[in-house]
Amino acid sequence: MAPESDDGPRGLLARLKAALGESALLLSEADMAPYAMDHRRRYRGRPLAVLRPADTAQVAAAVKLCAEAGIGIVPQSGNTGLSGGATPDAGGSQVILSLSRLNRIRAVDPVNNTLTAEAGCVLAAVQRAAESADRYFPLSLASEGSCEIGGNLSTNAGGTAVLRYGNMRELALGLEVVLPSGEIWDGLRGLRKDNTGYDLKHLFIGAEGTLGIITAAVLKLFPSPRSSATAIAALASPRDAVKLLGALQSACGERLTAFELFTEACLQLVLKHYPACRRPFAQPASCFVLIELTDVQEQGTVGPLAERALGTALEKGLITDAATAASLAQAREFWALRENISEAQAAEGLNIKHDVAVPISAIDDFIATTGEELARAIPGVRLIVFGHLGDGNLHYNVQQPEGQDRQAFLSREAEVNKIVYDQVARFGGSISAEHGLGQLKKETIKTYKSVLELEMMRKIKAALDPQGIMNPGKVL
Amino acid sequence: MAPESDDGPRGLLARLKAALGESALLLSEADMAPYAMDHRRRYRGRPLAVLRPADTAQVAAAVKLCAEAGIGIVPQSGNTGLSGGATPDAGGSQVILSLSRLNRIRAVDPVNNTLTAEAGCVLAAVQRAAESADRYFPLSLASEGSCEIGGNLSTNAGGTAVLRYGNMRELALGLEVVLPSGEIWDGLRGLRKDNTGYDLKHLFIGAEGTLGIITAAVLKLFPSPRSSATAIAALASPRDAVKLLGALQSACGERLTAFELFTEACLQLVLKHYPACRRPFAQPASCFVLIELTDVQEQGTVGPLAERALGTALEKGLITDAATAASLAQAREFWALRENISEAQAAEGLNIKHDVAVPISAIDDFIATTGEELARAIPGVRLIVFGHLGDGNLHYNVQQPEGQDRQAFLSREAEVNKIVYDQVARFGGSISAEHGLGQLKKETIKTYKSVLELEMMRKIKAALDPQGIMNPGKVL
């Protein structure tokens, strides 16, 4: 008799069904469809099955069975990723392991300022659980209503509050991980200090599921901010925006929570596609920054501070105009100008997106030289440049020239990418600041990361996942 | 003819001399003595040689030669570690590789808020270089005048400002590392966001030199604080201290930079051995906390905030008394009460030290139950408990009963350790919060870390250092 694990996919599915329960396996094409395609509809896979385990023990059991059968596992939580990291290949032999049923908040400890959440918790639910304990969980993303903690950790998510609170990596104190063997690593420590060997959690965070499956995490909480001020400023150049950032950091310290840049071109797209949005100042400007200050102290402290700091910036000629929101409604209007850029772009037509980071001191040169190169290569090209300037992170998007043929533009994607990424590399930057590599940049990274570093990554992958069953074809 | 690397230690030393220059090798016992013993004189090794390379290329050349000869390398920077992590064994076959000549500040970028320092830079020199650029590097330790950045990174150093700024791990953005093969990994990125594969820097940070030799790092800088307030409060119990911490975090947010606990027993030791120190309040108390608030805003904002917050705490009965320093001199007096504890202990006689962390919500129970168990085991035992309460990190030191025989007390070290560490484990804590494992806790950790986690560490070690030449006998 052949060993159990040699009886093919049908045998594996039978064993998975026995371990997880029949309802935890999706097998029909219709049931699997929402899991088999990524959020932006760029990748469409064909899974053998979608597994929906109910808890960590079931995740472990499923992984063990797949490992015995040598079947690749694609972990998936909210499926809102932008790089295809949670989509299987088209071969029909990989399973998707959905974490969405692991959606319990296991503990909230306001004294330790920690919260223990399972991988399938929606980010907004974690934010709410923190609020219920009069605490604050700062990770904030466009997709927070549907993205889940497992994916946030596996892609080391960023967003609009990184300047003050750090990336998801900085917000996690401990992890629970199902290893490629099906063993469960209990690293759910809620400690600010622990120096007892290699910091394994940092290997799994940002590994996009290629080393194991994060099933739960201890997350850091913060005191709740009790006052905030939102302001918008017009500037003559990105160079001035960088100077303004420095001035605000010196004047406001950690109160500076968001510092978001967008150009006049971004604003024009938003005004065109969102008629309810209004130009913040009478005159156009080279670019704008959206600023948010928060403080644990009650209302009244950060508003005057923002006004004073922006007043000084105006006197010094760093900005050409500024407005501080007089109400929450106005603050929301300011934020809408920044937040609607992506959708406005999509409505406008085809664009080639880049999520890059460079040192903040290089942002101005990066924007200038990359823009020149692209304009030379593609006359009439439109550059939609915005992002988290305070983190050196730009969404550097290249929009097809007005009236140009879609296909003609798209055929030049590789060339556009090369121009942008070569400049990123020249300034010591990163070709993926907050979206990971997934499938999208898995090949491109080979040009921009040293052979030595790729080799170290491969050695670690081979050491922890010798069978290569964890999210095959991603990252490496 | 035998291959070069088979000609024994003499051949290796000749090749090292040729590669580094004669003056970069110390070979006499007298020259090697300061390097061969640890700071606390607990470990004394016998090295084959002490290598003092001048730059990263020489470090790489030395490692390559040692790797070819299969010779173990013990990296050492300031040699101020507390766990014997930088001391070779007594076998006479390992070399010490001192990083102290790599002491250049390679770059200061105030716009990017980064500083690039070599591993041999003294911490205080890095702090000064930051100040010269009107920036702040927050790592602050008792040994900052002699400890060096390489060791700070390799042990993930902590100190008195972790509450606000994080451990050394959180202060590093990029690394340059000489790998066990002698290859140089250039990971000197100055980016706040980079999600392009596994985060390798976090593997080397805290690895105590067992995976490679950190030769340089890009460190984060912060806006300079321009005001500070130092206060001391008397409390009826550690439980109240934990409550006060929460109240101050809610009221002051990130302004709360230090929150240091010490007990009445600690204070009595300091007063006994430092006659210039004065009791802060007329009455004894169960314990005291030293509080520091800082802000980027000018003088005058944090002082009133501290007084208000402590006033509220007094009204609520959280504290029994409080004083805010009226001058820098008085602030220094307050700090001296905390900072002289270690030396006062040494003057008092033998003690068994522990550097532990538990969740902040468990501190009170941990202190109570561990104290009871020790008092049962060793009648008259004195507990000198102090530390970084804001990080859940206690220096839990056990002092011999007054008048007891030294040897009788020391013979019970293993028993004392077991009592303390079993309680740490019970509360989900760490047996080494900020001092690493080194040689000191390399065996003990096997009792307190899961087999699975130790196995993962060994797999990573084997993947990156297959010959096992990097700091043999440490950590693992």
Side-chain angles (χ1 to χ4, degrees):
Chain A
M1 205 179 102
E4 274 197 336
S5 50
D6 280 357
D7 58 359
R10 197 166 305 176
L12 171 64
L13 292 177
R15 286 189 294 280
L16 286 166
K17 207 172 280 182
L20 310 184
E22 183 152 3
S23 67
L25 262 70
L26 307 182
L27 295 168
S28 79
E29 205 164 316
D31 286 348
M32 296 195 294
Y35 301 85
M37 188 162 63
D38 79 309
H39 178 64
R40 276 164 75 188
R41 302 169 165 265
R42 292 178 65 125
Y43 299 98
R44 195 182 298 259
R46 195 164 68 85
L48 173 65
V50 175
L51 313 180
R52 304 185 73 248
D55 55 29
T56 302
Q58 285 201 355
V59 174
V63 170
K64 200 159 194 294
L65 289 171
C66 291
E68 283 165 5
I71 286 290
I73 302 164
V74 180
Q76 185 180 98
S77 55
N79 197 19
T80 61
L82 298 173
S83 303
T87 311
D89 69 13
S93 70
Q94 301 176 342
V95 300
I96 294 173
L97 192 150
S98 166
L99 280 307
S100 292
R101 287 177 68 202
L102 281 76
N103 62 357
R104 283 160 291 255
I105 306 281
R106 291 196 196 160
V108 182
D109 182 346
V111 175
N112 197 40
N113 276 313
T114 50
L115 177 156
T116 307
E118 293 186 342
C121 289
V122 171
L123 172 52
V126 170
Q127 295 167 343
R128 281 194 305 269
E131 269 163 43
S132 304
D134 192 25
R135 292 293 180 272
Y136 182 63
F137 182 67
L139 191 75
S140 177
L141 310 176
S143 60
E144 62 197 26
S146 53
C147 67
E148 295 170 7
I149 292 299
N152 296 149
L153 287 160
S154 292
T155 60
N156 184 23
T160 52
V162 172
L163 177 59
R164 177 169 186 165
Y165 296 100
N167 296 288
M168 190 59 168
R169 180 182 298 287
E170 281 86 43
L171 301 176
L173 292 176
L175 296 183
E176 178 187 84
V177 179
V178 172
L179 302 178
S181 60
E183 293 165 295
I184 300 166
W185 172 48
D186 179 3
L188 279 180
R189 297 187 272 261
L191 304 173
R192 260 76 184 173
K193 285 184 176 173
D194 178 22
N195 276 300
T196 54
Y198 307 154
D199 195 319
L200 300 174
K201 74 173 176 293
H202 281 305
L203 260 186
F204 295 103
I205 298 171
E208 304 185 43
T210 60
L211 298 176
I213 302 177
I214 297 171
T215 49
V218 181
L219 304 174
K220 278 190 208 169
L221 301 179
F222 294 83
S224 300
R226 295 191 203 288
S227 61
S228 70
T230 307
I232 193 162
L235 305 99
S237 69
R239 176 182 301 266
D240 285 348
V242 169
K243 285 187 192 159
L244 178 64
L245 171 66
L248 289 179
Q249 287 178 314
S250 288
C252 312
E254 283 96 343
R255 295 172 187 85
L256 185 63
T257 307
F259 192 89
E260 299 282 314
L261 175 84
F262 54 96
T263 59
E264 172 71 23
C266 299
L267 178 62
Q268 286 180 12
L269 269 196
V270 169
L271 297 176
K272 180 174 168 186
H273 295 281
Y274 288 84
C277 285
R278 285 177 304 176
R279 187 171 272 286
F281 307 106
Q283 297 299 317
S286 157
C287 58
F288 302 89
V289 292
L290 182 77
I291 297 152
E292 192 157 281
L293 303 184
T294 59
D295 198 343
V296 291
Q297 298 211 296
E298 298 290 326
Q299 206 61 37
T301 64
V302 282
L305 178 60
E307 279 167 20
R308 217 158 49 234
L310 289 171
T312 308
L314 195 61
E315 281 165 28
K316 288 188 177 166
L318 276 188
I319 60 176
T320 58
D321 209 342
T324 306
S327 63
L328 270 182
Q330 200 178 12
R332 254 182 254 120
E333 277 177 36
F334 288 176
W335 269 107
L337 299 176
R338 161 67 181 85
E339 286 173 344
N340 289 332
I341 297 171
S342 286
E343 296 296 322
Q345 267 202 286
E348 180 70 9
L350 204 63
N351 66 78
I352 302 171
K353 293 186 196 296
H354 307 94
D355 165 44
V356 303
V358 293
I360 292 163
S361 46
I363 281 207
D364 178 47
D365 286 344
F366 168 79
I367 290 178
T369 59
T370 313
E372 284 163 22
E373 288 229 15
L374 285 168
R376 250 198 309 275
I378 306 180
V381 72
R382 291 175 293 170
L383 303 176
I384 307 301
V385 178
F386 62 101
H388 317 296
L389 184 66
D391 315 315
N393 176 195
L394 295 176
H395 298 306
Y396 192 99
N397 296 350
V398 182
Q399 191 99 26
Q400 78 189 109
E402 241 165 322
Q404 204 197 49
D405 176 66
R406 254 180 92 87
Q407 272 314 321
F409 179 67
L410 205 57
S411 71
R412 302 186 69 175
E413 182 168 6
E415 185 189 347
V416 167
N417 289 348
K418 184 169 161 33
I419 289 171
V420 175
Y421 294 149
D422 281 359
Q423 291 298 323
V424 167
R426 190 182 142 208
F427 291 106
S430 166
I431 69 160
S432 191
E434 56 177 14
H435 296 168
L437 297 175
Q439 305 181 41
L440 182 65
K441 295 180 183 169
K442 176 187 117 129
E443 292 304 319
T444 313
I445 193 64
K446 293 178 185 164
T447 308
Y448 296 99
K449 208 181 260 290
S450 71
V451 171
L452 189 64
E453 188 163 341
L454 290 168
E455 190 52 40
M456 276 196 281
M457 284 168 53
R458 277 187 217 108
K459 283 179 183 170
I460 288 162
K461 169 76 173 173
L464 297 184
D465 179 21
Q467 275 188 286
I469 60 166
M470 290 308 313
N471 214 2
K474 314 294 160 48
V475 181
L476 281 161
Chain B
M1 205 178 101
E4 273 197 339
S5 49
D6 279 358
D7 56 0
R10 196 167 305 176
L12 171 64
L13 292 176
R15 286 190 293 280
L16 286 167
K17 206 173 280 183
L20 309 185
E22 183 150 6
S23 66
L25 264 69
L26 307 181
L27 296 168
S28 79
E29 206 165 313
D31 287 347
M32 296 196 294
Y35 301 86
M37 189 161 63
D38 79 309
H39 179 64
R40 275 164 75 188
R41 301 169 166 266
R42 292 178 66 125
Y43 298 97
R44 195 182 298 259
R46 196 165 66 85
L48 173 65
V50 174
L51 313 181
R52 303 186 73 247
D55 54 29
T56 302
Q58 285 200 354
V59 174
V63 170
K64 200 159 194 296
L65 290 170
C66 291
E68 283 165 6
I71 285 291
I73 303 165
V74 180
Q76 186 181 97
S77 54
N79 198 20
T80 60
L82 298 173
S83 303
T87 311
D89 69 13
S93 70
Q94 301 176 340
V95 299
I96 293 173
L97 192 150
S98 166
L99 279 308
S100 292
R101 287 177 68 202
L102 281 76
N103 63 357
R104 282 160 292 256
I105 305 280
R106 290 197 196 159
V108 182
D109 182 345
V111 175
N112 196 40
N113 276 314
T114 49
L115 177 157
T116 307
E118 293 186 342
C121 289
V122 170
L123 172 53
V126 169
Q127 294 167 342
R128 281 194 304 271
E131 270 165 40
S132 304
D134 191 25
R135 292 292 182 274
Y136 181 63
F137 183 66
L139 191 76
S140 178
L141 311 175
S143 60
E144 63 195 24
S146 53
C147 67
E148 296 171 7
I149 292 299
N152 296 149
L153 287 160
S154 292
T155 60
N156 185 24
T160 51
V162 172
L163 178 58
R164 177 170 186 165
Y165 296 101
N167 295 287
M168 190 58 168
R169 180 183 298 286
E170 280 86 43
L171 301 175
L173 292 176
L175 296 183
E176 178 186 83
V177 179
V178 172
L179 302 178
S181 59
E183 293 166 295
I184 300 166
W185 172 49
D186 178 3
L188 278 179
R189 296 187 272 261
L191 304 173
R192 259 77 184 172
K193 285 185 178 172
D194 178 21
N195 275 301
T196 54
Y198 307 154
D199 196 320
L200 301 174
K201 72 171 177 295
H202 281 303
L203 261 186
F204 295 103
I205 297 170
E208 304 187 44
T210 61
L211 298 176
I213 301 177
I214 297 171
T215 49
V218 180
L219 304 174
K220 277 190 207 169
L221 301 180
F222 294 82
S224 301
R226 295 190 204 289
S227 62
S228 71
T230 306
I232 195 162
L235 304 100
S237 69
R239 177 183 299 266
D240 285 348
V242 169
K243 284 187 194 160
L244 178 65
L245 171 66
L248 289 178
Q249 286 179 316
S250 287
C252 312
E254 284 93 343
R255 295 172 187 85
L256 185 63
T257 307
F259 192 89
E260 300 282 316
L261 175 86
F262 55 94
T263 60
E264 172 71 23
C266 299
L267 178 63
Q268 286 179 12
L269 268 195
V270 169
L271 296 176
K272 177 173 170 188
H273 295 280
Y274 289 83
C277 285
R278 286 178 303 178
R279 187 173 271 285
F281 308 106
Q283 297 300 318
S286 156
C287 58
F288 303 88
V289 291
L290 182 75
I291 295 153
E292 192 158 279
L293 303 184
T294 59
D295 198 342
V296 293
Q297 299 211 295
E298 299 290 328
Q299 207 61 36
T301 64
V302 282
L305 178 60
E307 280 168 19
R308 218 159 49 234
L310 290 170
T312 306
L314 194 61
E315 282 165 30
K316 289 189 178 167
L318 277 189
I319 60 177
T320 57
D321 208 344
T324 305
S327 64
L328 270 181
Q330 201 180 8
R332 255 181 254 119
E333 276 177 36
F334 287 176
W335 269 106
L337 299 176
R338 162 67 180 85
E339 285 172 347
N340 288 332
I341 297 171
S342 285
E343 296 296 322
Q345 268 203 284
E348 181 71 9
L350 204 62
N351 64 81
I352 301 171
K353 293 186 196 296
H354 307 95
D355 165 43
V356 303
V358 292
I360 292 163
S361 45
I363 282 207
D364 179 46
D365 285 344
F366 168 78
I367 290 177
T369 59
T370 313
E372 284 163 23
E373 289 230 13
L374 285 169
R376 250 197 310 274
I378 306 179
V381 72
R382 292 176 293 170
L383 302 175
I384 306 302
V385 178
F386 62 101
H388 317 297
L389 184 66
D391 315 317
N393 176 196
L394 295 177
H395 299 306
Y396 192 99
N397 297 349
V398 182
Q399 191 101 24
Q400 78 190 110
E402 240 164 324
Q404 202 197 52
D405 176 63
R406 254 181 92 85
Q407 273 315 321
F409 179 66
L410 204 57
S411 70
R412 302 185 69 175
E413 182 168 7
E415 185 189 348
V416 167
N417 289 347
K418 184 168 162 30
I419 288 171
V420 175
Y421 294 149
D422 281 358
Q423 290 298 322
V424 167
R426 190 183 141 207
F427 291 106
S430 166
I431 68 159
S432 191
E434 57 176 16
H435 296 167
L437 296 175
Q439 304 180 42
L440 182 65
K441 296 180 185 169
K442 178 189 116 133
E443 292 305 320
T444 314
I445 193 64
K446 293 177 186 164
T447 308
Y448 296 100
K449 208 181 260 290
S450 72
V451 171
L452 190 64
E453 188 164 341
L454 291 167
E455 190 51 40
M456 276 196 282
M457 284 168 54
R458 277 186 217 109
K459 283 180 183 170
I460 288 162
K461 170 78 173 173
L464 297 183
D465 179 21
Q467 275 188 287
I469 59 168
M470 290 308 313
N471 213 4
K474 315 292 161 49
V475 180
L476 281 162

